[in-house]
Amino acid sequence: MYDVIIIGSGPAGLTAAIYTARAKLKTLVVAGVMWGGQLMLTTEVENFPGFKDGILGPDLMDNMRLQAERFGAEILFEDASSVDFSTKPFKVEAGGKTYEGRSVIIATGASPRWLGLESEQRLRGRGVSVCATCDAAFFRDKVTVVVGGGDTAMEEALALSKFARKVKVVHRRDKLRASKILQERAFNDPKIEFIWNSVVQEILGEDRVEGVRLRRTDTGEESEMKCDAVFLAIGHKPNTEIFKGQVELDEKGYVVAYDETRTSVKGVFVAGDVQDFRYKQAVTAAGSGCKAALDVIKYLDEET
Ligand code: NAP
């Protein structure tokens, strides 16, 4: 029996684990097979306080994991497959085993969104990707497309421009959502070109990406453009599939948080991007993991 089971191992989950383990609570982190969350897919993290020269995303997550383990948190590298919050102790299934906890912190984060095209799934890994950090090097001297106008899209475009001959950012409006600093870097990069007021209607190619069909959002006009890869950066969706029917979710699938970290089930708490569609930063996720841990400590104190 664990005092707390933390589901998820991004900055929210691991910060929570550092706090609960350090408070001598028996802590299990169900970290997932692909542990570490979205920072594992990033290169340089420049805005996490305390690292004046930046730090690589995977290194930051390694540090957090080691810090949590130093205080005695157990890390399980399995995906949580189901949960039962209907009776206490709460139950979490992972890797074919059931784990019991007096409390739970949901910190499963969010995953990249897809356009919803048949062609993008068929050509996934054959030129269609959601991670330039992982796949940019495959497209040396090639023409690549990035879809989206947020920070992720700019980071993807900048990562790609180190390898590709050309990076074409397709955005559905004529204004970027990305922060000014990333916009400036992208605008100043001679390899990056912007295609405004346009969406990708179809990704073309049989066995590998050969182009995209675009549709203008202002005139409806359609056109085809040759390219070798398409990187999608159109936001994220919360990872809450296993929590349906267990805790209250909002219409977009985010866990509803009351009083910062409480869910609709007493003893089940929430932290990070799985409840935050607004800030979605590593540092805010870490902060909310800390809050959830402090609330768990108080809850367990009051319960006994
Ligand atoms: P985002 O800010 O939600 O941006 C998503 C982009 O994709 C928007 O430009 C949106 O267009 C576009 N989009 C959404 N659905 C689309 C569709 N179906 N077809 C075409 N375009 C679509 O997501 P994000 O860029 O992943 O960023 C998420 C959060 O992480 C943000 O808070 C961001 O600041 C943060 N982040 C920060 C950094 C950093 O600080 N270095 C790096 C990465 C991410 P519209 O603009 O028209 O809505």
Side-chain angles (χ1 to χ4, degrees):
M1 168 80 87
Y2 290 90
D3 291 319
V4 58
I5 299 178
I6 298 167
I7 311 175
S9 58
L14 289 178
T15 303
I18 291 166
Y19 273 78
T20 57
R22 190 166 174 273
K24 303 261 182 295
L25 296 185
K26 193 169 158 53
T27 299
L28 175 69
V29 179
V30 181
V33 178
M34 304 277 283
W35 77 278
Q38 294 181 63
L39 285 190
M40 299 301 272
L41 307 176
T42 322
T43 49
E44 205 73 40
V45 179
E46 293 179 328
N47 51 9
F48 200 90
F51 300 93
K52 70 179 173 49
D53 301 318
I55 180 168
L56 293 176
D59 289 350
L60 179 59
M61 295 322 298
D62 253 342
N63 288 350
M64 285 193 202
R65 180 175 57 81
L66 292 169
Q67 199 176 349
E69 283 178 326
R70 179 158 80 88
F71 293 117
E74 290 172 44
I75 315 275
L76 177 71
F77 296 98
E78 297 281 359
D79 295 328
S81 51
S82 68
V83 296
D84 183 356
F85 298 156
S86 60
T87 53
K88 288 184 187 168
F90 301 122
K91 292 177 193 61
V92 177
E93 269 208 29
K97 284 192 186 159
T98 304
Y99 298 88
E100 293 186 336
R102 294 168 63 209
S103 66
V104 166
I105 298 175
I106 298 173
T108 45
S111 298
R113 257 183 210 294
W114 295 82
L115 288 168
L117 304 172
E118 176 275 324
S119 51
E120 85 190 332
Q121 293 308 322
R122 184 166 43 81
L123 295 167
R124 193 171 164 178
R126 296 164 175 200
V128 176
S129 170
V130 287
C131 178
T133 307
C134 321
D135 298 333
F138 296 126
F139 300 100
R140 196 177 287 276
D141 297 326
K142 304 281 189 195
V143 177
T144 59
V145 162
V146 172
V147 185
D151 280 334
T152 304
M154 294 312 105
E155 284 197 335
E156 298 277 282
L158 290 161
L160 277 164
S161 92
K162 295 199 177 84
F163 298 92
R165 172 154 52 91
K166 197 91 221 158
V167 183
K168 302 185 181 194
V169 177
V170 175
H171 184 39
R172 62 183 177 185
R173 293 185 294 137
D174 62 357
K175 230 187 222 131
L176 296 175
R177 179 181 293 281
S179 56
K180 284 280 174 287
I181 183 164
L182 286 176
Q183 289 198 25
E184 261 170 39
R185 279 186 208 166
F187 287 144
N188 288 333
D189 188 317
K191 284 189 185 171
I192 300 177
E193 182 183 300
F194 287 83
I195 300 176
W196 302 108
N197 296 315
S198 298
V199 287
V200 170
Q201 190 88 332
E202 200 60 75
I203 301 171
L204 308 171
E206 277 305 310
D207 299 328
R208 58 180 185 85
V209 171
E210 290 172 7
V212 283
R213 181 167 335 117
L214 299 176
R215 182 176 56 78
R216 285 200 63 100
T217 49
D218 46 3
T219 61
E221 187 190 329
E222 292 194 8
S223 62
E224 288 189 5
M225 181 171 82
K226 283 196 174 151
C227 66
D228 304 290
V230 178
F231 286 80
L232 302 172
I234 57 168
H236 294 84
K237 67 170 179 25
N239 297 321
T240 49
E241 204 51 44
I242 60 168
F243 305 114
K244 279 183 186 160
Q246 297 287 335
V247 293
E248 188 182 345
L249 306 178
D250 71 11
E251 69 283 356
K252 287 190 172 152
Y254 287 87
V255 175
V256 176
Y258 295 95
D259 193 17
E260 303 250 9
T261 70
R262 287 163 214 279
T263 68
S264 54
V265 178
K266 198 162 183 238
V268 177
F269 296 79
V270 65
D273 285 8
V274 71
Q275 51 86 52
D276 170 23
F277 42 83
R278 188 162 165 206
Y279 300 107
K280 299 178 278 189
Q281 304 298 301
V283 67
T284 52
S288 96
C290 162
K291 287 180 192 174
L294 294 176
D295 287 343
V296 160
I297 294 165
K298 191 159 178 280
Y299 164 78
L300 292 177
D301 256 2
E302 284 166 1
E303 204 200 25
T304 47

